[in-house]
Amino acid sequence: MNSRRAQADVLLPRLARTLYAVLVWACLSQGVESAEARIAVAANFRNTALAIAEALQRASPHRYEIIPGSTGKLASQILNGAPYDIFMAADRDRPQQLVDRGVAVAGSQQIYAVGELGLWWPGVSGTPALGALANLKPRSVCIANPAFAPYGEAAWRSLARAEIDSAWREGILRVDNINLVTGFVAQGHVSAGFVARSSLISGMRNGSVRVNESEVLWLAGDAALDQMLVLLMRGENNPAAQFWIDQMQTPSVRELIRRDGYRFPGEETDA
């Protein structure tokens, strides 16, 4: 984890310069007209989205507003008419549901990142183990609420596979999103929590989190989360929204996403 942070400190200025040059060229070559777009973003991707928005705004006439929240709550807001142009979820299911309900543009879905889930247990003796959580009081273990948060759903599936008693699982502390889990563990409010790699990297970058790699058990299988975005009907003819989507697959933006702890489909984890 410390090596990741050092690499990020070196790469960030270089990535920013490269991204700026590429985007300036793109805007000048296309004669882009200014527009504004509102991007609803899964909480774990908030800081990355803000960094992308800053870069796009420096290099184009467009302006972006980032609205973070749990994936489930954002999807509910969209279904109830919230004025968003793009939805960046932490799963595949909810963007597809919005397409099926006619509020998102069919064919606009794309996987923009693959997130990683881990069990962070500071001070544990040896490598953290899922089964050993049963030795703790349920309220001392924290997850994102599975009803709203895909990272919480993945954590819940992992606990079920570990054959931890269902009554114990029901007592776990649930919070609104994965970033809050990281904060609860970092501040000592709970003994352990299921966190996103991106949240740990973000916390280490801003100094709010200190973590030893040996304290984290990175989970495999369906604990890897395909994060999908979709263009909403409101943004279908919005050039700022289309520009955002077009830039998500460029090498410079992908490197910025990778720097923040994500990978892409087909890539192996380096945990």
PDB file of all heavy atoms in Angstrom, residues 19 23 39 41 45 48-49 52-53 56 86 88 110-113 227-229 241-257 264:
ATOM      1  N   LEU A  19      -2.835  14.680 -19.291  1.00  0.00           N
ATOM      2  CA  LEU A  19      -4.273  14.761 -19.464  1.00  0.00           C
ATOM      3  C   LEU A  19      -4.675  16.125 -19.991  1.00  0.00           C
ATOM      4  O   LEU A  19      -5.501  16.248 -20.896  1.00  0.00           O
ATOM      5  CB  LEU A  19      -4.965  14.483 -18.135  1.00  0.00           C
ATOM      6  CG  LEU A  19      -6.490  14.534 -18.122  1.00  0.00           C
ATOM      7  CD1 LEU A  19      -7.054  13.510 -19.096  1.00  0.00           C
ATOM      8  CD2 LEU A  19      -7.009  14.274 -16.723  1.00  0.00           C
ATOM      9  N   LEU A  23      -6.586  16.764 -23.595  1.00  0.00           N
ATOM     10  CA  LEU A  23      -7.934  17.304 -23.610  1.00  0.00           C
ATOM     11  C   LEU A  23      -8.006  18.644 -24.332  1.00  0.00           C
ATOM     12  O   LEU A  23      -8.993  18.950 -24.999  1.00  0.00           O
ATOM     13  CB  LEU A  23      -8.448  17.447 -22.177  1.00  0.00           C
ATOM     14  CG  LEU A  23      -8.631  16.119 -21.444  1.00  0.00           C
ATOM     15  CD1 LEU A  23      -9.064  16.364 -20.004  1.00  0.00           C
ATOM     16  CD2 LEU A  23      -9.636  15.252 -22.152  1.00  0.00           C
ATOM     17  N   ILE A  39     -23.261  15.034 -12.630  1.00  0.00           N
ATOM     18  CA  ILE A  39     -22.841  13.644 -12.630  1.00  0.00           C
ATOM     19  C   ILE A  39     -23.144  13.030 -11.268  1.00  0.00           C
ATOM     20  O   ILE A  39     -22.589  13.446 -10.244  1.00  0.00           O
ATOM     21  CB  ILE A  39     -21.326  13.513 -12.911  1.00  0.00           C
ATOM     22  CG1 ILE A  39     -20.889  14.470 -14.028  1.00  0.00           C
ATOM     23  CG2 ILE A  39     -20.979  12.069 -13.219  1.00  0.00           C
ATOM     24  CD1 ILE A  39     -21.448  14.175 -15.374  1.00  0.00           C
ATOM     25  N   VAL A  41     -22.556  10.147  -8.776  1.00  0.00           N
ATOM     26  CA  VAL A  41     -21.388   9.285  -8.666  1.00  0.00           C
ATOM     27  C   VAL A  41     -21.451   8.433  -7.401  1.00  0.00           C
ATOM     28  O   VAL A  41     -21.725   8.952  -6.308  1.00  0.00           O
ATOM     29  CB  VAL A  41     -20.098  10.141  -8.643  1.00  0.00           C
ATOM     30  CG1 VAL A  41     -18.876   9.271  -8.430  1.00  0.00           C
ATOM     31  CG2 VAL A  41     -19.967  10.936  -9.929  1.00  0.00           C
ATOM     32  N   PHE A  45     -16.223   6.589  -5.679  1.00  0.00           N
ATOM     33  CA  PHE A  45     -15.562   7.205  -6.831  1.00  0.00           C
ATOM     34  C   PHE A  45     -15.554   8.732  -6.746  1.00  0.00           C
ATOM     35  O   PHE A  45     -15.098   9.404  -7.662  1.00  0.00           O
ATOM     36  CB  PHE A  45     -16.251   6.752  -8.128  1.00  0.00           C
ATOM     37  CG  PHE A  45     -15.414   6.890  -9.368  1.00  0.00           C
ATOM     38  CD1 PHE A  45     -14.347   6.035  -9.606  1.00  0.00           C
ATOM     39  CD2 PHE A  45     -15.690   7.869 -10.309  1.00  0.00           C
ATOM     40  CE1 PHE A  45     -13.575   6.158 -10.753  1.00  0.00           C
ATOM     41  CE2 PHE A  45     -14.928   8.006 -11.462  1.00  0.00           C
ATOM     42  CZ  PHE A  45     -13.862   7.143 -11.687  1.00  0.00           C
ATOM     43  N   THR A  48     -12.119  10.618  -7.254  1.00  0.00           N
ATOM     44  CA  THR A  48     -11.638  10.422  -8.618  1.00  0.00           C
ATOM     45  C   THR A  48     -12.464  11.244  -9.598  1.00  0.00           C
ATOM     46  O   THR A  48     -11.921  11.873 -10.515  1.00  0.00           O
ATOM     47  CB  THR A  48     -11.687   8.942  -8.999  1.00  0.00           C
ATOM     48  OG1 THR A  48     -11.054   8.173  -7.975  1.00  0.00           O
ATOM     49  CG2 THR A  48     -10.983   8.699 -10.315  1.00  0.00           C
ATOM     50  N   ALA A  49     -13.782  11.246  -9.413  1.00  0.00           N
ATOM     51  CA  ALA A  49     -14.656  12.038 -10.287  1.00  0.00           C
ATOM     52  C   ALA A  49     -14.349  13.526 -10.177  1.00  0.00           C
ATOM     53  O   ALA A  49     -14.357  14.249 -11.182  1.00  0.00           O
ATOM     54  CB  ALA A  49     -16.118  11.766  -9.948  1.00  0.00           C
ATOM     55  N   ILE A  52     -11.228  14.179 -12.181  1.00  0.00           N
ATOM     56  CA  ILE A  52     -11.525  14.154 -13.612  1.00  0.00           C
ATOM     57  C   ILE A  52     -12.255  15.430 -14.020  1.00  0.00           C
ATOM     58  O   ILE A  52     -11.941  16.049 -15.042  1.00  0.00           O
ATOM     59  CB  ILE A  52     -12.358  12.911 -13.971  1.00  0.00           C
ATOM     60  CG1 ILE A  52     -11.532  11.636 -13.752  1.00  0.00           C
ATOM     61  CG2 ILE A  52     -12.856  12.979 -15.420  1.00  0.00           C
ATOM     62  CD1 ILE A  52     -12.334  10.355 -13.882  1.00  0.00           C
ATOM     63  N   ALA A  53     -13.229  15.836 -13.213  1.00  0.00           N
ATOM     64  CA  ALA A  53     -13.983  17.056 -13.520  1.00  0.00           C
ATOM     65  C   ALA A  53     -13.062  18.269 -13.574  1.00  0.00           C
ATOM     66  O   ALA A  53     -13.181  19.123 -14.470  1.00  0.00           O
ATOM     67  CB  ALA A  53     -15.077  17.264 -12.479  1.00  0.00           C
ATOM     68  N   LEU A  56     -11.127  18.135 -16.851  1.00  0.00           N
ATOM     69  CA  LEU A  56     -11.963  18.424 -18.012  1.00  0.00           C
ATOM     70  C   LEU A  56     -12.353  19.899 -18.060  1.00  0.00           C
ATOM     71  O   LEU A  56     -12.466  20.479 -19.145  1.00  0.00           O
ATOM     72  CB  LEU A  56     -13.209  17.544 -17.993  1.00  0.00           C
ATOM     73  CG  LEU A  56     -13.010  16.035 -18.107  1.00  0.00           C
ATOM     74  CD1 LEU A  56     -14.344  15.320 -18.211  1.00  0.00           C
ATOM     75  CD2 LEU A  56     -12.125  15.675 -19.284  1.00  0.00           C
ATOM     76  N   ILE A  86     -25.584  12.018 -16.022  1.00  0.00           N
ATOM     77  CA  ILE A  86     -24.848  10.748 -16.087  1.00  0.00           C
ATOM     78  C   ILE A  86     -24.929  10.087 -14.725  1.00  0.00           C
ATOM     79  O   ILE A  86     -24.894  10.755 -13.691  1.00  0.00           O
ATOM     80  CB  ILE A  86     -23.369  10.978 -16.476  1.00  0.00           C
ATOM     81  CG1 ILE A  86     -23.258  11.520 -17.907  1.00  0.00           C
ATOM     82  CG2 ILE A  86     -22.549   9.697 -16.337  1.00  0.00           C
ATOM     83  CD1 ILE A  86     -21.850  11.955 -18.288  1.00  0.00           C
ATOM     84  N   MET A  88     -22.934   7.221 -12.513  1.00  0.00           N
ATOM     85  CA  MET A  88     -21.756   6.374 -12.381  1.00  0.00           C
ATOM     86  C   MET A  88     -21.958   5.502 -11.146  1.00  0.00           C
ATOM     87  O   MET A  88     -21.709   5.929 -10.020  1.00  0.00           O
ATOM     88  CB  MET A  88     -20.489   7.211 -12.285  1.00  0.00           C
ATOM     89  CG  MET A  88     -20.311   8.149 -13.472  1.00  0.00           C
ATOM     90  SD  MET A  88     -18.737   9.030 -13.465  1.00  0.00           S
ATOM     91  CE  MET A  88     -17.609   7.716 -13.959  1.00  0.00           C
ATOM     92  N   GLN A 110     -21.170   1.526 -19.952  1.00  0.00           N
ATOM     93  CA  GLN A 110     -19.785   1.089 -20.069  1.00  0.00           C
ATOM     94  C   GLN A 110     -19.201   0.891 -18.681  1.00  0.00           C
ATOM     95  O   GLN A 110     -19.550   1.590 -17.733  1.00  0.00           O
ATOM     96  CB  GLN A 110     -18.931   2.090 -20.861  1.00  0.00           C
ATOM     97  CG  GLN A 110     -18.832   3.467 -20.243  1.00  0.00           C
ATOM     98  CD  GLN A 110     -17.849   4.380 -20.985  1.00  0.00           C
ATOM     99  OE1 GLN A 110     -16.676   4.443 -20.646  1.00  0.00           O
ATOM    100  NE2 GLN A 110     -18.354   5.092 -21.983  1.00  0.00           N
ATOM    101  N   ILE A 111     -18.322  -0.113 -18.558  1.00  0.00           N
ATOM    102  CA  ILE A 111     -17.604  -0.333 -17.305  1.00  0.00           C
ATOM    103  C   ILE A 111     -16.463   0.683 -17.263  1.00  0.00           C
ATOM    104  O   ILE A 111     -15.567   0.655 -18.106  1.00  0.00           O
ATOM    105  CB  ILE A 111     -17.036  -1.762 -17.214  1.00  0.00           C
ATOM    106  CG1 ILE A 111     -18.159  -2.796 -17.312  1.00  0.00           C
ATOM    107  CG2 ILE A 111     -16.255  -1.941 -15.914  1.00  0.00           C
ATOM    108  CD1 ILE A 111     -19.170  -2.716 -16.197  1.00  0.00           C
ATOM    109  N   TYR A 112     -16.492   1.566 -16.286  1.00  0.00           N
ATOM    110  CA  TYR A 112     -15.465   2.604 -16.207  1.00  0.00           C
ATOM    111  C   TYR A 112     -14.376   2.267 -15.198  1.00  0.00           C
ATOM    112  O   TYR A 112     -13.298   2.891 -15.201  1.00  0.00           O
ATOM    113  CB  TYR A 112     -16.086   3.968 -15.869  1.00  0.00           C
ATOM    114  CG  TYR A 112     -16.734   4.050 -14.507  1.00  0.00           C
ATOM    115  CD1 TYR A 112     -16.011   4.452 -13.388  1.00  0.00           C
ATOM    116  CD2 TYR A 112     -18.088   3.749 -14.332  1.00  0.00           C
ATOM    117  CE1 TYR A 112     -16.614   4.549 -12.149  1.00  0.00           C
ATOM    118  CE2 TYR A 112     -18.687   3.835 -13.091  1.00  0.00           C
ATOM    119  CZ  TYR A 112     -17.954   4.237 -12.015  1.00  0.00           C
ATOM    120  OH  TYR A 112     -18.546   4.328 -10.767  1.00  0.00           O
ATOM    121  N   ALA A 113     -14.618   1.285 -14.321  1.00  0.00           N
ATOM    122  CA  ALA A 113     -13.618   0.887 -13.328  1.00  0.00           C
ATOM    123  C   ALA A 113     -14.041  -0.430 -12.696  1.00  0.00           C
ATOM    124  O   ALA A 113     -15.226  -0.785 -12.685  1.00  0.00           O
ATOM    125  CB  ALA A 113     -13.467   1.958 -12.246  1.00  0.00           C
ATOM    126  N   GLN A 227     -17.896  -1.455 -12.025  1.00  0.00           N
ATOM    127  CA  GLN A 227     -18.610  -0.196 -11.853  1.00  0.00           C
ATOM    128  C   GLN A 227     -18.996   0.358 -13.223  1.00  0.00           C
ATOM    129  O   GLN A 227     -18.142   0.616 -14.066  1.00  0.00           O
ATOM    130  CB  GLN A 227     -17.755   0.794 -11.061  1.00  0.00           C
ATOM    131  CG  GLN A 227     -17.363   0.229  -9.703  1.00  0.00           C
ATOM    132  CD  GLN A 227     -16.897   1.272  -8.704  1.00  0.00           C
ATOM    133  OE1 GLN A 227     -16.410   0.916  -7.632  1.00  0.00           O
ATOM    134  NE2 GLN A 227     -17.064   2.542  -9.005  1.00  0.00           N
ATOM    135  N   MET A 228     -20.299   0.523 -13.426  1.00  0.00           N
ATOM    136  CA  MET A 228     -20.823   0.891 -14.736  1.00  0.00           C
ATOM    137  C   MET A 228     -21.408   2.296 -14.715  1.00  0.00           C
ATOM    138  O   MET A 228     -22.030   2.715 -13.737  1.00  0.00           O
ATOM    139  CB  MET A 228     -21.896  -0.112 -15.163  1.00  0.00           C
ATOM    140  CG  MET A 228     -22.559   0.194 -16.497  1.00  0.00           C
ATOM    141  SD  MET A 228     -23.765  -1.084 -16.989  1.00  0.00           S
ATOM    142  CE  MET A 228     -22.633  -2.351 -17.608  1.00  0.00           C
ATOM    143  N   LEU A 229     -21.202   3.008 -15.815  1.00  0.00           N
ATOM    144  CA  LEU A 229     -21.867   4.298 -15.990  1.00  0.00           C
ATOM    145  C   LEU A 229     -22.898   4.184 -17.100  1.00  0.00           C
ATOM    146  O   LEU A 229     -22.834   3.284 -17.944  1.00  0.00           O
ATOM    147  CB  LEU A 229     -20.866   5.419 -16.286  1.00  0.00           C
ATOM    148  CG  LEU A 229     -20.089   5.448 -17.607  1.00  0.00           C
ATOM    149  CD1 LEU A 229     -20.938   5.951 -18.783  1.00  0.00           C
ATOM    150  CD2 LEU A 229     -18.862   6.337 -17.479  1.00  0.00           C
ATOM    151  N   ALA A 241     -22.023  16.260 -21.165  1.00  0.00           N
ATOM    152  CA  ALA A 241     -22.197  14.871 -20.747  1.00  0.00           C
ATOM    153  C   ALA A 241     -21.545  13.921 -21.747  1.00  0.00           C
ATOM    154  O   ALA A 241     -20.862  12.964 -21.363  1.00  0.00           O
ATOM    155  CB  ALA A 241     -23.681  14.551 -20.598  1.00  0.00           C
ATOM    156  N   GLN A 242     -21.733  14.179 -23.030  1.00  0.00           N
ATOM    157  CA  GLN A 242     -21.132  13.318 -24.044  1.00  0.00           C
ATOM    158  C   GLN A 242     -19.614  13.397 -24.003  1.00  0.00           C
ATOM    159  O   GLN A 242     -18.917  12.389 -24.160  1.00  0.00           O
ATOM    160  CB  GLN A 242     -21.638  13.696 -25.437  1.00  0.00           C
ATOM    161  CG  GLN A 242     -21.230  12.712 -26.522  1.00  0.00           C
ATOM    162  CD  GLN A 242     -21.749  11.314 -26.233  1.00  0.00           C
ATOM    163  OE1 GLN A 242     -22.938  11.084 -26.110  1.00  0.00           O
ATOM    164  NE2 GLN A 242     -20.834  10.343 -26.113  1.00  0.00           N
ATOM    165  N   PHE A 243     -19.083  14.587 -23.760  1.00  0.00           N
ATOM    166  CA  PHE A 243     -17.633  14.759 -23.677  1.00  0.00           C
ATOM    167  C   PHE A 243     -17.073  13.958 -22.502  1.00  0.00           C
ATOM    168  O   PHE A 243     -16.038  13.312 -22.607  1.00  0.00           O
ATOM    169  CB  PHE A 243     -17.296  16.242 -23.533  1.00  0.00           C
ATOM    170  CG  PHE A 243     -15.821  16.544 -23.563  1.00  0.00           C
ATOM    171  CD1 PHE A 243     -15.091  16.388 -24.722  1.00  0.00           C
ATOM    172  CD2 PHE A 243     -15.172  16.986 -22.420  1.00  0.00           C
ATOM    173  CE1 PHE A 243     -13.723  16.668 -24.748  1.00  0.00           C
ATOM    174  CE2 PHE A 243     -13.814  17.271 -22.434  1.00  0.00           C
ATOM    175  CZ  PHE A 243     -13.085  17.099 -23.603  1.00  0.00           C
ATOM    176  N   TRP A 244     -17.772  14.013 -21.372  1.00  0.00           N
ATOM    177  CA  TRP A 244     -17.349  13.254 -20.196  1.00  0.00           C
ATOM    178  C   TRP A 244     -17.254  11.760 -20.520  1.00  0.00           C
ATOM    179  O   TRP A 244     -16.255  11.104 -20.226  1.00  0.00           O
ATOM    180  CB  TRP A 244     -18.334  13.484 -19.046  1.00  0.00           C
ATOM    181  CG  TRP A 244     -18.049  12.729 -17.789  1.00  0.00           C
ATOM    182  CD1 TRP A 244     -18.296  11.410 -17.537  1.00  0.00           C
ATOM    183  CD2 TRP A 244     -17.444  13.254 -16.595  1.00  0.00           C
ATOM    184  NE1 TRP A 244     -17.897  11.072 -16.271  1.00  0.00           N
ATOM    185  CE2 TRP A 244     -17.375  12.184 -15.666  1.00  0.00           C
ATOM    186  CE3 TRP A 244     -16.992  14.515 -16.217  1.00  0.00           C
ATOM    187  CZ2 TRP A 244     -16.849  12.347 -14.386  1.00  0.00           C
ATOM    188  CZ3 TRP A 244     -16.459  14.672 -14.935  1.00  0.00           C
ATOM    189  CH2 TRP A 244     -16.392  13.596 -14.047  1.00  0.00           C
ATOM    190  N   ILE A 245     -18.308  11.236 -21.127  1.00  0.00           N
ATOM    191  CA  ILE A 245     -18.335   9.815 -21.450  1.00  0.00           C
ATOM    192  C   ILE A 245     -17.228   9.456 -22.436  1.00  0.00           C
ATOM    193  O   ILE A 245     -16.545   8.435 -22.281  1.00  0.00           O
ATOM    194  CB  ILE A 245     -19.714   9.423 -21.998  1.00  0.00           C
ATOM    195  CG1 ILE A 245     -20.748   9.453 -20.862  1.00  0.00           C
ATOM    196  CG2 ILE A 245     -19.676   8.039 -22.653  1.00  0.00           C
ATOM    197  CD1 ILE A 245     -22.157   9.139 -21.285  1.00  0.00           C
ATOM    198  N   ASP A 246     -17.018  10.295 -23.437  1.00  0.00           N
ATOM    199  CA  ASP A 246     -15.972  10.031 -24.424  1.00  0.00           C
ATOM    200  C   ASP A 246     -14.592   9.981 -23.788  1.00  0.00           C
ATOM    201  O   ASP A 246     -13.739   9.176 -24.186  1.00  0.00           O
ATOM    202  CB  ASP A 246     -15.988  11.104 -25.512  1.00  0.00           C
ATOM    203  CG  ASP A 246     -17.211  11.030 -26.406  1.00  0.00           C
ATOM    204  OD1 ASP A 246     -17.897   9.986 -26.401  1.00  0.00           O
ATOM    205  OD2 ASP A 246     -17.495  12.032 -27.098  1.00  0.00           O
ATOM    206  N   GLN A 247     -14.352  10.832 -22.806  1.00  0.00           N
ATOM    207  CA  GLN A 247     -13.028  10.907 -22.189  1.00  0.00           C
ATOM    208  C   GLN A 247     -12.742   9.758 -21.220  1.00  0.00           C
ATOM    209  O   GLN A 247     -11.590   9.490 -20.893  1.00  0.00           O
ATOM    210  CB  GLN A 247     -12.868  12.244 -21.449  1.00  0.00           C
ATOM    211  CG  GLN A 247     -12.923  13.467 -22.345  1.00  0.00           C
ATOM    212  CD  GLN A 247     -11.934  13.387 -23.494  1.00  0.00           C
ATOM    213  OE1 GLN A 247     -10.756  13.120 -23.292  1.00  0.00           O
ATOM    214  NE2 GLN A 247     -12.405  13.617 -24.715  1.00  0.00           N
ATOM    215  N   MET A 248     -13.767   9.066 -20.759  1.00  0.00           N
ATOM    216  CA  MET A 248     -13.562   8.033 -19.753  1.00  0.00           C
ATOM    217  C   MET A 248     -12.691   6.884 -20.249  1.00  0.00           C
ATOM    218  O   MET A 248     -12.052   6.193 -19.457  1.00  0.00           O
ATOM    219  CB  MET A 248     -14.909   7.481 -19.274  1.00  0.00           C
ATOM    220  CG  MET A 248     -15.730   8.458 -18.462  1.00  0.00           C
ATOM    221  SD  MET A 248     -14.883   9.052 -16.973  1.00  0.00           S
ATOM    222  CE  MET A 248     -14.735   7.529 -16.062  1.00  0.00           C
ATOM    223  N   GLN A 249     -12.644   6.661 -21.553  1.00  0.00           N
ATOM    224  CA  GLN A 249     -11.855   5.555 -22.086  1.00  0.00           C
ATOM    225  C   GLN A 249     -10.522   6.008 -22.662  1.00  0.00           C
ATOM    226  O   GLN A 249      -9.793   5.191 -23.254  1.00  0.00           O
ATOM    227  CB  GLN A 249     -12.665   4.809 -23.154  1.00  0.00           C
ATOM    228  CG  GLN A 249     -13.922   4.145 -22.623  1.00  0.00           C
ATOM    229  CD  GLN A 249     -13.637   3.111 -21.554  1.00  0.00           C
ATOM    230  OE1 GLN A 249     -12.623   2.424 -21.594  1.00  0.00           O
ATOM    231  NE2 GLN A 249     -14.527   2.987 -20.579  1.00  0.00           N
ATOM    232  N   THR A 250     -10.157   7.266 -22.496  1.00  0.00           N
ATOM    233  CA  THR A 250      -8.865   7.733 -22.987  1.00  0.00           C
ATOM    234  C   THR A 250      -7.755   7.258 -22.058  1.00  0.00           C
ATOM    235  O   THR A 250      -7.968   7.083 -20.849  1.00  0.00           O
ATOM    236  CB  THR A 250      -8.827   9.268 -23.092  1.00  0.00           C
ATOM    237  OG1 THR A 250      -9.027   9.837 -21.784  1.00  0.00           O
ATOM    238  CG2 THR A 250      -9.905   9.775 -24.038  1.00  0.00           C
ATOM    239  N   PRO A 251      -6.552   7.043 -22.577  1.00  0.00           N
ATOM    240  CA  PRO A 251      -5.465   6.535 -21.739  1.00  0.00           C
ATOM    241  C   PRO A 251      -5.172   7.412 -20.526  1.00  0.00           C
ATOM    242  O   PRO A 251      -4.913   6.891 -19.433  1.00  0.00           O
ATOM    243  CB  PRO A 251      -4.272   6.500 -22.700  1.00  0.00           C
ATOM    244  CG  PRO A 251      -4.886   6.319 -24.054  1.00  0.00           C
ATOM    245  CD  PRO A 251      -6.161   7.112 -24.010  1.00  0.00           C
ATOM    246  N   SER A 252      -5.220   8.724 -20.682  1.00  0.00           N
ATOM    247  CA  SER A 252      -4.874   9.604 -19.567  1.00  0.00           C
ATOM    248  C   SER A 252      -5.887   9.512 -18.437  1.00  0.00           C
ATOM    249  O   SER A 252      -5.514   9.478 -17.260  1.00  0.00           O
ATOM    250  CB  SER A 252      -4.776  11.057 -20.062  1.00  0.00           C
ATOM    251  OG  SER A 252      -3.727  11.201 -20.989  1.00  0.00           O
ATOM    252  N   VAL A 253      -7.168   9.481 -18.764  1.00  0.00           N
ATOM    253  CA  VAL A 253      -8.189   9.368 -17.727  1.00  0.00           C
ATOM    254  C   VAL A 253      -8.127   7.979 -17.082  1.00  0.00           C
ATOM    255  O   VAL A 253      -8.271   7.839 -15.856  1.00  0.00           O
ATOM    256  CB  VAL A 253      -9.590   9.648 -18.301  1.00  0.00           C
ATOM    257  CG1 VAL A 253     -10.668   9.314 -17.280  1.00  0.00           C
ATOM    258  CG2 VAL A 253      -9.701  11.108 -18.717  1.00  0.00           C
ATOM    259  N   ARG A 254      -7.888   6.962 -17.868  1.00  0.00           N
ATOM    260  CA  ARG A 254      -7.772   5.614 -17.314  1.00  0.00           C
ATOM    261  C   ARG A 254      -6.596   5.511 -16.339  1.00  0.00           C
ATOM    262  O   ARG A 254      -6.687   4.832 -15.310  1.00  0.00           O
ATOM    263  CB  ARG A 254      -7.636   4.588 -18.443  1.00  0.00           C
ATOM    264  CG  ARG A 254      -8.958   4.315 -19.159  1.00  0.00           C
ATOM    265  CD  ARG A 254      -8.737   3.526 -20.436  1.00  0.00           C
ATOM    266  NE  ARG A 254      -8.254   2.170 -20.193  1.00  0.00           N
ATOM    267  CZ  ARG A 254      -9.044   1.105 -20.056  1.00  0.00           C
ATOM    268  NH1 ARG A 254     -10.367   1.235 -20.114  1.00  0.00           N
ATOM    269  NH2 ARG A 254      -8.523  -0.090 -19.885  1.00  0.00           N
ATOM    270  N   GLU A 255      -5.502   6.184 -16.636  1.00  0.00           N
ATOM    271  CA  GLU A 255      -4.372   6.174 -15.705  1.00  0.00           C
ATOM    272  C   GLU A 255      -4.715   6.899 -14.408  1.00  0.00           C
ATOM    273  O   GLU A 255      -4.279   6.506 -13.328  1.00  0.00           O
ATOM    274  CB  GLU A 255      -3.144   6.806 -16.362  1.00  0.00           C
ATOM    275  CG  GLU A 255      -2.441   5.900 -17.355  1.00  0.00           C
ATOM    276  CD  GLU A 255      -2.057   4.561 -16.745  1.00  0.00           C
ATOM    277  OE1 GLU A 255      -1.467   4.551 -15.641  1.00  0.00           O
ATOM    278  OE2 GLU A 255      -2.365   3.519 -17.344  1.00  0.00           O
ATOM    279  N   LEU A 256      -5.510   7.947 -14.508  1.00  0.00           N
ATOM    280  CA  LEU A 256      -5.957   8.647 -13.305  1.00  0.00           C
ATOM    281  C   LEU A 256      -6.843   7.737 -12.460  1.00  0.00           C
ATOM    282  O   LEU A 256      -6.715   7.697 -11.229  1.00  0.00           O
ATOM    283  CB  LEU A 256      -6.729   9.911 -13.709  1.00  0.00           C
ATOM    284  CG  LEU A 256      -7.185  10.848 -12.597  1.00  0.00           C
ATOM    285  CD1 LEU A 256      -5.988  11.381 -11.818  1.00  0.00           C
ATOM    286  CD2 LEU A 256      -7.992  12.003 -13.183  1.00  0.00           C
ATOM    287  N   ILE A 257      -7.715   6.993 -13.109  1.00  0.00           N
ATOM    288  CA  ILE A 257      -8.579   6.039 -12.399  1.00  0.00           C
ATOM    289  C   ILE A 257      -7.734   4.939 -11.760  1.00  0.00           C
ATOM    290  O   ILE A 257      -7.935   4.577 -10.598  1.00  0.00           O
ATOM    291  CB  ILE A 257      -9.619   5.444 -13.372  1.00  0.00           C
ATOM    292  CG1 ILE A 257     -10.592   6.546 -13.835  1.00  0.00           C
ATOM    293  CG2 ILE A 257     -10.388   4.291 -12.715  1.00  0.00           C
ATOM    294  CD1 ILE A 257     -11.512   6.107 -14.955  1.00  0.00           C
ATOM    295  N   PHE A 264      -9.219  -2.391 -14.475  1.00  0.00           N
ATOM    296  CA  PHE A 264     -10.177  -2.454 -15.569  1.00  0.00           C
ATOM    297  C   PHE A 264     -10.461  -3.907 -15.930  1.00  0.00           C
ATOM    298  O   PHE A 264      -9.687  -4.801 -15.573  1.00  0.00           O
ATOM    299  CB  PHE A 264      -9.641  -1.680 -16.781  1.00  0.00           C
ATOM    300  CG  PHE A 264      -9.443  -0.215 -16.481  1.00  0.00           C
ATOM    301  CD1 PHE A 264      -8.188   0.275 -16.150  1.00  0.00           C
ATOM    302  CD2 PHE A 264     -10.517   0.655 -16.494  1.00  0.00           C
ATOM    303  CE1 PHE A 264      -8.010   1.612 -15.846  1.00  0.00           C
ATOM    304  CE2 PHE A 264     -10.348   1.991 -16.183  1.00  0.00           C
ATOM    305  CZ  PHE A 264      -9.086   2.471 -15.857  1.00  0.00           C
TER     306      PHE A 264
END
